[in-house]
Amino acid sequence: MPANTTPIFILNGNFTPGRIAAANTASDGSGALVVTVTAGSNGTRVDGVRFRNSQVSLAASSNMVHRIFLSDTGGANFRLIGEVATAAATRSASAIGATSIYTFDQPIIMKSGQIMSVCQSVYASVADQTDACAFVGDY
């Protein structure tokens, strides 16, 4: 089935979860970033990103800010397009770890070559390890 020439519906999922295991307080796109989306050849639609604490131990995570960046079509020059605060939480056998979801008010339509990356403001220990999963589809 050929790709849409006028994209209306996505054709394929484009899901690559990323594990954040370093702190980055920069909001200018510098520092350690984790790639969550690489746009497909016909463009890509992103509706949101979920951040979920993924620590193995039963320990309290830190309060932190998760940031979302988008590059130009050359995969460089990252710009801040969203951020969400995530409250500390203690994962246990009966409680989930800290979770935040950032939903774009309008879907982000990425051009081929663009990259979406994420980071978090705090990484004090493995208790702050976070997985980021974008809700994405390629045209």
Side-chain angles (χ1 to χ4, degrees):
M1 178 182 204
N4 293 327
T5 56
T6 305
I8 299 172
F9 303 105
I10 62 167
L11 292 178
N12 300 303
N14 179 350
F15 179 78
T16 306
R19 177 155 288 164
I20 306 170
N24 181 355
T25 58
S27 59
D28 63 359
S30 64
L33 298 176
V34 175
V35 174
T36 54
V37 179
T38 300
S41 59
N42 293 312
T44 297
R45 175 187 170 129
V46 184
D47 291 299
V49 181
R50 173 182 287 131
F51 297 94
R52 176 156 295 160
N53 179 270
S54 60
Q55 63 174 304
V56 176
S57 61
L58 304 179
S61 62
S62 304
N63 291 320
M64 62 186 78
V65 174
H66 289 101
R67 293 184 175 91
I68 305 165
F69 297 90
L70 186 64
S71 76
D72 59 21
T73 55
N77 301 311
F78 286 91
R79 300 293 183 251
L80 180 67
I81 60 169
E83 53 189 352
V84 61
T86 304
T90 302
R91 179 185 291 282
S92 70
S94 60
I96 64 169
T99 301
S100 290
I101 297 175
Y102 188 93
T103 303
F104 297 106
D105 56 352
Q106 295 292 316
I108 301 296
I109 308 300
M110 297 171 61
K111 295 179 181 179
S112 179
Q114 285 188 296
I115 296 171
M116 184 174 286
S117 296
V118 296
C119 70
Q120 67 188 36
S121 61
V122 175
Y123 190 82
S125 70
V126 294
D128 294 324
Q129 178 178 283
T130 301
D131 287 341
C133 303
F135 306 107
V136 182
D138 288 338
Y139 291 113

